[in-house]
Amino acid sequence: MPVLSLREFIRKIPKAELHIHIEGSFEPEQMFTIAGRNQLTLPFTSVDELKKAYEFNNLQEFLDIYYAGAGVLVTELDFFELTQAYLRKIREENVLHTEIFFDPQTHTERGIAFETVINGIRRALEEENQSSGMSYRIILCFLRHLDEDSAFRMLEMAAPFKEWITGVGLDSSEVSNPPSKFAQVFEKAREEGYLTVAHAGEEGPPAYVREALDLLKVSRIDHGNRSLEDEALVMELAERKIPLTVCPLSNLKLRVVEDMKNHPMKIMLEKGLSATVNSDDPAYFGGYMTENFLAVSTALSLSQAEITQLCVNSFLASFLDSDTKETMIQKVLDFSNTHSFMMDS
Ligand code: HPA
Ligand code: ZN
């Protein structure tokens, strides 16, 4: 049986990514290239200066820089190249399926047409699917710092592209913008056939997770870390098999956890929660899927069984059909049954 380093085991094991903001995969070098092409300036003079600004004390400090970066994306080619660069990275990590978020209000508010954004993103995903077989879903996120009317207008703009969009989500500044603020637009979205997810319990209290379940009827909770503060909520999430799309490096960089050794991933698994590993905003938080798995596995000494479970969970929690899920899970188990790793190499 091949014995791999932990990094190689993690890189090679089949997996799905379910929590990635495509604008959060915008690498500094590409950001400067695209800004220059569009004759736009960033509030930083160099890649080095920009990277030095990637020190965050909370979600809002990150979001301010994230929106500044996203502001140089203008043409369909920009969105295409952004998505293509992300897909090239995760292809090397044996990500077989990805469900990506995009934030159209960030772009339409600057006068960029919705179709420019989605055409670019989707063309890259389609090309990747044709060439490597990687499958994908697209999830439209409403910005929760904006009002519900703005979300309604976005839903209307998305209507002609409904076939391309599997679900709607909720992101941006969590505290003071509870899921209840968007109950009506989520209801409309569900009536139109969209699945729903929401960021909840990243900085916001467990009550926001409860609202996401009860009012937005979400299929998954994005992050969900603070659910652990409410034992009854944990039991319900476990019983109903509501997945949590957890993002270890994001949690560290945004100070949701102070030290990776205190990350709740192991506790989540022990409590029977369907936790998954994801990158959130990999260009800003220090890495893609491999780095996220490696950081949490090393800090918490996760076993091969636990790492395998996280990869199984990623397919179970996906919006793939049940036959495909089964096929993918078999690939994870086949890999894990025929490989092992040495922890200290
Ligand atoms: N939380 C909320 N909104 C976001 C995030 C996040 O981690 N990343 C991009 N938008
Ligand atoms: Zn996120």
Side-chain angles (χ1 to χ4, degrees), residues 257-274:
V257 299
E258 282 306 320
D259 188 313
M260 197 59 89
K261 288 201 162 32
N262 302 333
H263 195 281
M265 183 61 92
K266 202 178 176 80
I267 295 169
M268 287 171 170
L269 291 175
E270 285 165 1
K271 289 188 180 283
L273 293 169
S274 175

Side-chain angles (χ1 to χ4, degrees), residues 19 21 199 223 280:
H19 184 159
H21 303 262
H199 284 55
H223 294 295
D280 207 7

Side-chain angles (χ1 to χ4, degrees), residues 21 59 62-63 66 171-172 199 202 223 250 254 280-281:
H21 303 262
L59 174 59
F62 155 69
L63 289 170
Y66 163 87
D171 67 2
S172 191
H199 284 55
E202 181 185 19
H223 294 295
S250 167
L254 300 186
D280 207 7
D281 301 283

Side-chain angles (χ1 to χ4, degrees), residues 1-15 93-94 96 304 307-308 311 327-341:
M1 164 148 17
V3 182
L4 306 174
S5 65
L6 176 59
R7 173 181 286 279
E8 274 302 277
F9 182 90
I10 281 171
R11 187 178 71 80
K12 287 184 169 163
I13 189 169
K15 57 184 82 64
E93 306 188 303
N94 211 14
L96 303 184
Q304 183 166 336
I307 294 169
T308 304
C311 294
T327 306
M328 293 294 169
I329 289 166
Q330 201 51 55
K331 285 184 199 226
V332 178
L333 298 177
D334 287 348
F335 179 88
S336 192
N337 287 332
T338 51
H339 296 78
S340 64
F341 63 79

